[in-house]
Structure formats: C-alpha cells, structure tokens
C-alpha cells in the first residue's frame, strides 16, 4: 500500500469536476521489541509524527501512534497485520481504521477483527470512492467510514448499498461471494447482476466480486440483529 495516497487522489475525481484531492502520506517502519511494524499515515495536511521506540512491543507502539493522531484529521493504515500482530492478537489493533490486505493471513486478521467488532476496513488493489466534492477531508471521511470499494481490474456498473442489503451489476458474467461473521462464505451467486438482503444475524457482510478479468471487494456492512418479520433474503 505504499502508494495509497496517490490511489486515493486519482479515484477522488469521480464527481466529474476533474479536480484533485491529494492526501499527505507518510510510511513508518518501526522495529519493535516483538516484531516489525509497518504503517502508513494519511492526513489532510502534514503533521508531526512520533518516533519509534525499539524497546516497546507492537501493541504499545500502535496505541501511542493512534493517540498521537487523535484530532489530527488523519487515518492510520496497518500495512502488515499478519506479521505485526497475527489473528490471535489482532484485538490489540483497536483504533486502527484501515488494514492493508496482501494475502490470506492478512484477510484472516481482518475477518477476526470484524468478528470481534472492530470498525476496520480493508485496503487492496485500487481504492475507489464516490465523492460529492473531492477534498482531502472528504476522502478521509470516505476511508474512515468504509464508503469505498477496492478494485483490481473490475469496476461494477452498479454497486448500491441500503440499510437492508446490497445489489450489484457487472458488465460481464461473474460470481459474488457473500462473506459474513467469522470470514464464512454464506452464499455464492453467479450472473451479471445480483442482490443480497440481510437476514439480521450475519454480524457483518462484505462481498467479493470476481469475473474473468478482475475482482472487486466491498467494505463490511455491520448488521444489527433484526426482529422477526423484518427483511430477509
């Protein structure tokens, strides 16, 4: 995710005005007492960041940086969740808003974090977000609240979420894997278009769209339990 800021800038132009929303970005590689910690800070403007303390463990380093960024109009990306903490200790990443997803081990960390209720979003491929006005603040808000998708050669024609589910439409035949709490695949749908309606017990729902030419990943929607008689599939 070394070029996350540039990716965000490019995809903040979808309002049609052709203007930029450049973010300030700095990557941090800290050799902590128990593991190497790779991070990236995204901010609306340059900010002063703390220095590494080699004697402290990864959880302490993360907590110190999260505290330093509080109120700074900035987001912290954990670039190596699997090697820095691992799924067993991922709860210690509380306060980190974004995980870089590089492999299946990072994906396991992300799903474990979502399962225990951490509001964290996954970044991979190219970040795509729709903004009314492409400003750094709006880009940060979209990233911080999961109002974006990630693309690798696949841009859906339509991708619409509402309080009860999500629907999509593709330009070619594809598959949609519906991932719920625990990283379990609840359903797999095939076709040019599809729709998922929440049952209420999923915990969270994220969707992986795949075609012959690319992939697209949505961000998790956190699902509140519904009373009987509510919306379902």
């Amino acid at each position: 995710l070394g070029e996350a800021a540039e990716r965000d800038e490019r995809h903040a132009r979808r309002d049609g005005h052709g203007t930029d929303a450049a973010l300030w970005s700095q990557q941090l590689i800290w050799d902590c007492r128990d593991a190497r910690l790779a991070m990236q800070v995204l901010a609306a403007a340059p900010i002063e960041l703390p220095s590494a303390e080699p004697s402290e463990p990864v959880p302490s380093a993360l907590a110190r940086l999260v505290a330093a960024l509080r109120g700074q109009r900035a987001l912290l990306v954990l670039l190596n969740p699997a090697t820095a903490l691992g799924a067993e200790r991922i709860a210690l990443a509380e306060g980190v808003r974004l995980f870089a997803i590089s492999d299946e081990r990072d994906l396991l960390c992300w799903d474990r974090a979502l399962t225990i209720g951490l509001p964290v979003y996954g970044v991979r491929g190219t970040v795509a977000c729709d903004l009314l006005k492409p400003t750094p603040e709006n880009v940060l808000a979209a990233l911080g609240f999961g109002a974006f998708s990630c693309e690798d050669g696949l841009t859906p024609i339509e991708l619409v979420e509402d309080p009860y589910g999500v629907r999509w439409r593709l330009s070619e035949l594809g598959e949609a894997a519906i991932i719920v709490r625990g990283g379990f695949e609840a359903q797999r749908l095939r076709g040019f278009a599809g729709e998922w309606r929440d049952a209420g017990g999923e915990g969270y729902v994220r969707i992986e769209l795949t075609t012959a030419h690319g992939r697209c990943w949505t961000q998790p929607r956190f699902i509140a339990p519904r009373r009987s008689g509510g919306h379902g599939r």
Side-chain angles (χ1 to χ4, degrees):
L1 193 66
E3 297 177 349
E6 288 78 7
R7 290 169 180 163
D8 294 340
E9 176 183 349
R10 182 170 64 248
H11 284 266
R13 297 173 182 165
R14 289 193 171 183
D15 68 341
H17 296 298
T19 54
D20 293 341
L23 295 177
W24 178 84
S25 174
Q26 184 167 330
Q27 192 171 112
L28 302 174
I29 307 295
W30 289 359
D31 286 314
C32 298
R33 189 175 68 199
D34 49 351
R36 171 164 287 190
L37 178 59
M39 302 165 290
Q40 186 165 4
V41 177
L42 303 175
I47 55 178
E48 185 175 349
L49 298 174
S51 300
E53 295 288 348
S55 63
E56 67 182 349
V58 164
S60 297
L62 276 175
R64 186 162 58 88
L65 190 50
V66 167
L69 295 179
R70 195 167 292 126
Q72 295 280 356
R73 295 188 302 164
L75 291 173
L76 181 61
V77 188
L78 178 56
L79 299 179
N80 63 337
T83 56
L85 288 170
E88 298 78 12
R89 298 200 302 161
I90 203 63
L92 300 173
E94 185 174 3
V96 176
R97 207 64 168 181
L98 299 166
F99 284 1
I101 309 298
S102 301
D103 55 32
E104 290 299 317
R105 296 185 306 148
D106 290 334
L107 191 61
L108 177 61
C109 289
W110 187 31
D111 278 316
R112 182 71 61 85
L114 295 174
T115 298
I116 63 176
L118 296 184
V120 62
Y121 303 104
V123 184
R124 51 187 154 179
T126 298
V127 172
C129 53
D130 292 311
L131 305 173
L132 293 177
K133 186 176 181 181
T135 65
E137 290 79 7
N138 285 351
V139 174
L140 289 172
L143 294 174
F145 289 100
F148 66 95
S149 59
C150 294
E151 302 173 357
D152 183 11
L154 174 60
T155 300
I157 296 175
E158 181 182 53
L159 182 59
V160 179
E161 297 182 348
D162 63 40
Y164 304 108
V166 58
R167 69 179 186 272
W168 59 90
R169 187 158 54 95
L170 308 174
S171 60
E172 59 181 320
L173 184 67
E175 285 190 338
I178 313 300
I179 309 300
V180 300
R181 178 172 48 203
F184 295 108
E185 184 177 307
Q187 192 172 5
R188 185 172 288 264
L189 304 173
R190 183 174 175 82
F192 285 88
E195 183 177 18
W196 169 269
R197 307 307 285 175
D198 305 328
E202 296 90 347
Y204 66 87
V205 173
R206 61 178 184 83
I207 300 177
E208 300 180 355
L209 299 168
T210 306
T211 70
H213 298 97
R215 302 183 72 184
C216 176
W217 302 269
T218 73
Q219 296 305 315
R221 298 169 48 256
F222 295 94
I223 311 301
R226 303 193 189 284
R227 296 179 179 177
S228 60
H231 290 256
R233 297 195 299 275

